[in-house]
Amino acid sequence: MSETKKISPLRLVLRIILILILILVLVVAGYLAYVFIDYHRLDDNLVVTPEGTASQGTLDVSSGETFHIMDWNIGFAAYTDQFSFFMDGGKYSRAFSKEATVENMENIISEFKSHAADFYLIQEVDFGSTRSYHVDQRAMLKESFNNGFASTFGVNYDSSYLFYPFTSPIGASKSGILTMSSYDISGAVRRSFPIQTGFAKFLDLDRCFLISRIPCSDGHELVLINLHASAYTTDDSIVRRQIKMLTDTISEEYAKGNYVIAGGDFNMDLLGDSASIFGVSGENYSWAQPFPTDEIPDHVALVAPFDPDDPIPSCRNADSPWDPETNFQITIDGFLVTDNIEVSGCEVTDLQFAYSDHDPVQLWFSFKS
């Protein structure tokens, strides 16, 4: 009888290590294949069906009445003043808990209602994301305003499950922008912003703006554009291409005789030098670039909330819990407005970033005769 050949302990250990390495390589390769295969962008010019019933019908542009817009990036209801985000250099990739997310959403909704605006432009509204424990923030907002508000929703990004950070992956992200109006919305369309190509597209995610049309008494329309531009792009030309696409759209609508207000999170420094205004350097943050004012047509004005006697930022960098002495502060939330609209006020509501890394921005306007 032949004797069974024995494997030395060292050779056995090496064989086990090689098997484990092979398994790891296969797992990583499989995951990368999944990310590449699953990647997709939403089509441009997607028609969006308005939902809900507005309490008011056609917008009377001859009344001389002042109207009110409230704009807010709610930060997927994760950013209390104690929250920091890993992509900003902070600690967390997810909200503290599902219960904390729901509680923060309730506070956000209460804040919205306390201002009783005619129109709401809301960004970073999650509806099926790992990072917000699959809380449907879109449904919470719509249900809270289901009496008297029409709404439109555009998906800003719908990403694959990202297994990073490894200890607490951010997972899959489904998020969008929500417009609510107390006046009828006759139609809406989602437009896809240009974004980076190559590997960078997996980090920058999809981006869009949402056009909602509100019929006016003179036969024209108030065109409300809700936008959320790119935040982490490494190609400065992308920012200019996004703004060019936006201003071209505004000009097309203006040429038809329509009134246009584009508001939201531009992810650019609307004041030009927020670091000097708010006193904390932003030189380490590549996204904090000045808004390209040379891209603005003559018939459009950039309206950014700014009181020189009491400047209040609209956003903080979330590399650490909120501290006005150390957090970089900036104004990246505001509006582009056509010159057939009269702006009577624009300001930040100072909440000290209690519910988001952004504070709400409000605009008051009327129509020129």
Side-chain angles (χ1 to χ4, degrees):
M1 294 179 63
S2 60
E3 295 183 2
T4 303
K5 189 176 181 180
K6 293 185 176 180
I7 301 175
S8 68
L10 177 59
R11 186 170 293 180
L12 180 61
V13 170
L14 290 174
R15 183 173 294 180
I16 293 172
I17 291 174
L18 286 173
I19 291 172
L20 291 175
I21 291 174
L22 178 60
I23 292 172
L24 179 61
V25 169
L26 290 174
V27 169
V28 172
Y31 171 71
L32 291 176
Y34 151 72
V35 170
F36 277 87
I37 292 171
D38 190 60
Y39 177 82
H40 61 282
R41 287 206 72 188
L42 297 174
D43 292 336
D44 192 14
N45 284 303
L46 280 178
V47 174
V48 175
T49 302
E51 299 181 352
T53 303
S55 61
Q56 304 180 73
T58 300
L59 189 59
D60 187 355
V61 297
S62 63
S63 66
E65 183 181 351
T66 296
F67 301 93
H68 179 197
I69 294 179
M70 186 171 181
D71 168 72
W72 198 1
N73 180 329
I74 63 172
F76 62 96
Y79 293 80
T80 66
D81 55 3
Q82 295 303 303
F83 188 84
S84 63
F85 190 52
F86 79 103
M87 289 192 75
D88 289 337
K91 182 177 179 181
Y92 303 103
S93 56
R94 304 180 183 184
F96 291 141
S97 67
K98 182 174 184 177
E99 294 74 21
T101 304
V102 171
E103 180 182 358
N104 210 34
M105 274 303 302
E106 290 171 346
N107 288 328
I108 287 167
I109 289 168
S110 177
E111 187 66 29
F112 273 127
K113 288 193 166 184
S114 71
H115 294 278
D118 300 297
F119 310 97
Y120 296 93
L121 305 177
I122 313 171
Q123 303 87 43
E124 211 149 351
V125 180
D126 277 12
F127 60 98
S129 299
T130 309
R131 63 185 186 176
S132 50
Y133 299 91
H134 298 275
V135 173
D136 193 339
Q137 301 168 4
R138 171 182 58 180
M140 290 183 70
L141 283 160
K142 288 165 65 175
E143 288 168 7
S144 297
F145 286 86
N146 65 356
N147 185 17
F149 278 82
S151 68
T152 55
F153 185 83
V155 177
N156 202 34
Y157 44 82
D158 180 358
S159 75
S160 308
Y161 192 100
L162 299 181
F163 205 88
Y164 187 82
F166 301 119
T167 56
S168 180
I170 192 170
S173 296
K174 296 178 185 291
S175 191
I177 52 183
L178 176 67
T179 297
M180 297 190 297
S181 169
S182 63
Y183 290 85
D184 283 343
I185 301 177
S186 60
V189 64
R190 177 199 181 276
R191 298 297 314 275
S192 293
F193 269 134
I195 61 169
Q196 284 186 256
T197 57
F199 185 76
K201 68 186 180 183
F202 296 103
L203 301 178
D204 194 32
L205 304 177
D206 210 346
R207 296 288 172 172
C208 76
F209 59 94
L210 177 65
I211 302 171
S212 301
R213 299 183 176 278
I214 298 162
C216 295
S217 57
D218 63 355
H220 295 295
E221 296 172 316
L222 170 61
V223 179
L224 277 183
I225 300 178
N226 188 349
L227 68 103
H228 190 183
S230 291
Y232 301 105
T233 178
T234 57
D235 182 354
D236 289 344
S237 69
I238 297 297
V239 171
R240 284 188 170 270
R241 287 174 58 196
Q242 290 184 350
I243 296 303
K244 181 67 165 56
M245 180 181 179
L246 178 64
T247 54
D248 283 351
T249 301
I250 293 172
S251 293
E252 290 169 8
E253 295 296 338
Y254 179 77
K256 298 174 187 176
N258 291 331
Y259 312 90
V260 188
I261 298 177
D265 180 356
F266 288 85
N267 270 313
M268 285 172 279
D269 189 347
L270 301 186
L271 302 181
D273 190 8
S274 286
S276 64
I277 293 171
F278 301 115
V280 181
S281 173
E283 62 183 0
N284 295 325
Y285 309 116
S286 61
W287 58 272
Q289 300 302 312
F291 185 91
T293 53
D294 57 315
E295 296 286 354
I296 304 175
D298 291 340
H299 52 271
V300 178
L302 173 64
V303 181
F306 178 61
D307 180 352
D309 297 324
D310 183 24
I312 300 170
S314 75
C315 181
R316 70 175 178 94
N317 190 64
D319 56 341
S320 62
W322 168 235
D323 181 348
E325 299 298 322
T326 59
N327 280 146
F328 173 58
Q329 300 150 59
I330 187 171
T331 292
I332 62 177
D333 307 275
F335 304 89
L336 291 172
V337 181
T338 51
D339 64 9
N340 49 10
I341 290 174
E342 185 75 40
V343 173
S344 54
C346 184
E347 65 182 37
V348 179
T349 302
D350 189 4
L351 302 178
Q352 291 292 302
F353 306 107
Y355 312 126
S356 173
D357 57 330
H358 296 247
D359 273 348
V361 173
Q362 301 188 70
L363 180 82
W364 290 267
F365 68 96
S366 56
F367 295 92
K368 294 181 180 178
S369 58

